Amino acid sequence: MTIRTLLIDDEDLARLEMRHLLSAFPEIHILDEASDASDALDKIRRYRPDLIFLDINMPGKNGFEMLTELEESPHVVFVTAYDEFAVRAFETNALDYLLKPVRPERLEKAIATVREAGRELATPVSTSASAQNYMLRRDSLVFIKDGEKCFFVRLSDIFLFESEDNYVRVYFGTEKPLHRKSLNMLIEKLPPELFFRANRQQIINLENIKNIEPFFNGTLRLTLHNGMRVEISVRRAGEFKERLSL
Amino acid sequence: MFQFSPKKEMQMFFSKRQAYWVSQVFGWSTFVVYEIVNLLGLGFFSWNNAVLMLLAAPLGVAITHIYRAILVRWRVLEMPFTQMAVLALVAVFGLSTVLFAGLILVSWALEGAPNWAEVNANYVFMSILNWSRYIFVWVLIYHLFGLMERINRTQFERLASENQLKNIELQNLKAQLNPHFLFNALNSVKALTHSDPKRAGDAVMLLSDLLRYSLNYEKQTLVPLTDELAVTRDYLALEKIRFNSRLEYALDIDPAAEKWPIPPILLVTLAENAIKHGIAQSVQGGFVRISARLENDKLWLTVCNTGNLLPKSGHQGIGLDNIRRRLDMLFAGKAVFDLKNDLEQNTVTAAVQIPAF
């Protein structure tokens, strides 16, 4: 199995060093390199790599800012020279990061993690997909940054999206960070077999419904697996019943 | 860092207020018991005397309590020691007089008009002296407690400020070594070891010279400009390895200026700032130009780089604050430091004028 990889770092020598270190791993296929965030965004959308090595401190947008612009994130291994802020963000998450200069053993461990995750990740490459008509899949990774906390979450693990002002609160596990995207933009990219718009404010994951009961005036009340309650508006109730009977 | 909180110290057993009232009640009741036992022992006991003593206690509490309010209002306990001691002595006699006068009025009310023939100067003076024994004890205890508290507090404050100083020193040390630069430079060197081993060796030498200088420079107050230029060149050469085509730099140094004494690490810090804000933040990169010349018996140093001062980063960082402070200290305000942004040219220029030391 090859892991299609993109290297992102603003320093030529840092990329050279990464290439050198990665030459020890035959399954790593380096597609290309990018030297800043906008270059990287172009190349990620073009190549749809499985994995990126991402420098955090870059001119223009930094690594985190770059990730928040992507609809879907590849697997990410962060690489940083010294950044207290970044390391703090990782503490709450199961993300991997490497410190420069990178130790080969540490790199091996990071790649082993990617390999592990990659078994479920092998997907056909969609080279023609532009940002507009691009659809997320159930195993797509979404990067969410809320303040100092960062999350990579698999789409199928999210059980509820809820609009909050101009953004979306995303519920998964025990977390509910704020995602800087709008609900309307999101619904167009979500796979319709998995997500359903329950009302103006909420989108639910259909696999996460524990209980359905009739409520007032033709509305329905759902209980999710985590105990949260969601109401299906009258307008949406018909379509909801249709969807479930299928 | 630990926090300075004298209040917490006082809450160990009683609150300060509680302790004060307990002492007041305990002290004055002891006085009453002592006086009555005394009267009984000497055979002078009479109910009138006993009642007088019982009334003297609350009167004493009231008078000393008012005294305490005055101490607080005038911040007497924070005055220099001798001044406070003199005031306390005056207070002892003042309070005793008031107490005595008060008791005269009380006994007048209880027993009718005193026998005026007995009230002579000697009697008044002896009575006041008699009362002053108790007041003296009260004042002594109160002022000693106040003093103790003051000593504790100043000690605490001193420790806290020492602690803060240590923290600042540590932060300065960390900022000096600039870990971000250091690890990136090491990473570049590592890359060069297989692509260009000779250059890797050169880079290690540059890095060691730079490190040695930044660990030792504090031993000297001033160094000749040439010394500082040598390390600045090392530093720029290292950054050139890292940023490659993104960094262009040039130095324009008037040979006459080379011996001029300047504070060590000054130029390196300015160059570092230029790279950090001008080059590292820009995708295309840019240039850094350093010039030095003598004019009007002053050294004019400028470091100019591409880029703009970001309006959002209101503070200019520890580095520039330190430069300002050190220049002020060394040259008694006669050195000038200035940071200018030329929006048309898209450059930022740091300029320093250093007078002769």
Side-chain angles (χ1 to χ4, degrees), chain B residues 105-356:
Chain B
L105 291 177
V106 168
S107 70
W108 196 337
L110 284 177
E111 303 173 32
N115 185 357
W116 291 110
E118 279 178 21
V119 185
N120 55 24
N122 190 42
Y123 170 77
V124 169
F125 182 70
M126 289 317 288
S127 300
I128 290 173
L129 210 62
N130 191 33
W131 284 112
S132 76
R133 292 179 308 174
Y134 302 107
I135 297 294
F136 181 76
V137 172
W138 192 100
V139 168
L140 189 70
I141 290 174
Y142 192 86
H143 281 257
L144 277 180
F145 264 102
L147 266 181
M148 250 164 58
E149 206 181 276
R150 195 165 95 185
I151 289 166
N152 272 341
R153 201 170 51 220
T154 44
Q155 214 163 17
F156 213 91
E157 274 164 3
R158 213 192 60 224
L159 281 173
S161 71
E162 268 176 17
N163 195 300
Q164 205 172 6
L165 206 71
K166 284 257 154 36
N167 262 315
I168 291 169
E169 272 173 19
L170 196 72
Q171 262 180 355
N172 280 347
L173 198 70
K174 245 179 153 176
Q176 237 173 64
L177 289 173
N178 189 355
H180 207 267
F181 158 73
L182 203 62
F183 289 117
N184 273 315
L186 285 170
N187 198 41
S188 307
V189 171
K190 185 154 184 285
L192 286 173
T193 50
H194 35 85
S195 68
D196 189 346
K198 190 189 166 297
R199 231 171 136 217
D202 294 344
V204 168
M205 292 324 294
L206 292 173
L207 193 58
S208 6
D209 284 346
L210 187 61
L211 269 180
R212 188 169 298 121
Y213 188 80
S214 54
L215 289 172
N216 287 328
Y217 76 83
E218 273 174 349
K219 289 173 191 151
Q220 288 160 291
T221 3
L222 295 167
V223 292
L225 178 63
T226 35
D227 287 12
E228 181 77 5
L229 275 172
V231 232
T232 308
R233 282 199 180 95
D234 286 353
Y235 170 70
L236 288 169
L238 268 169
E239 294 285 41
K240 176 73 186 169
I241 290 174
R242 196 178 141 200
F243 290 110
N244 204 2
S245 58
R246 278 168 65 201
L247 169 64
E248 295 301 331
Y249 67 90
L251 287 90
D252 173 21
I253 311 299
D254 176 2
E258 284 186 349
K259 293 271 152 52
W260 201 268
I262 68 164
I265 220 81
L266 172 78
L267 197 55
V268 179
T269 312
L270 291 177
E272 234 182 314
N273 261 297
I275 299 241
K276 193 172 151 199
H277 301 292
I279 311 302
Q281 299 298 323
S282 153
V283 176
Q284 309 87 357
F287 63 81
V288 174
R289 271 200 296 264
I290 296 178
S291 79
R293 65 200 155 84
L294 288 186
E295 209 178 287
N296 298 333
D297 240 7
K298 271 183 176 173
L299 173 71
W300 296 63
L301 262 182
T302 59
V303 177
C304 174
N305 64 272
T306 15
N308 284 301
L309 290 175
L310 291 174
K312 62 176 180 185
S313 59
H315 69 294
Q316 294 171 353
I318 306 172
L320 295 189
D321 282 348
N322 269 350
I323 287 180
R324 272 207 185 89
R325 231 185 1 249
R326 276 174 69 212
L327 286 173
D328 274 350
M329 253 159 44
L330 281 168
F331 300 98
K334 281 184 200 125
V336 180
F337 177 80
D338 190 29
L339 199 64
K340 270 206 189 94
N341 190 1
D342 187 333
L343 289 169
E344 262 173 47
Q345 302 272 329
N346 187 35
T347 57
V348 177
T349 307
V352 196
Q353 293 168 43
I354 298 173

Side-chain angles (χ1 to χ4, degrees), chain B residues 24-46:
Chain B
Q24 277 279 34
V25 171
F26 177 77
W28 287 105
S29 342
T30 312
F31 152 80
V32 173
V33 172
Y34 175 84
E35 279 297 323
I36 290 175
V37 168
N38 201 6
L39 287 173
L40 284 169
L42 294 174
F44 292 146
F45 183 83
S46 72

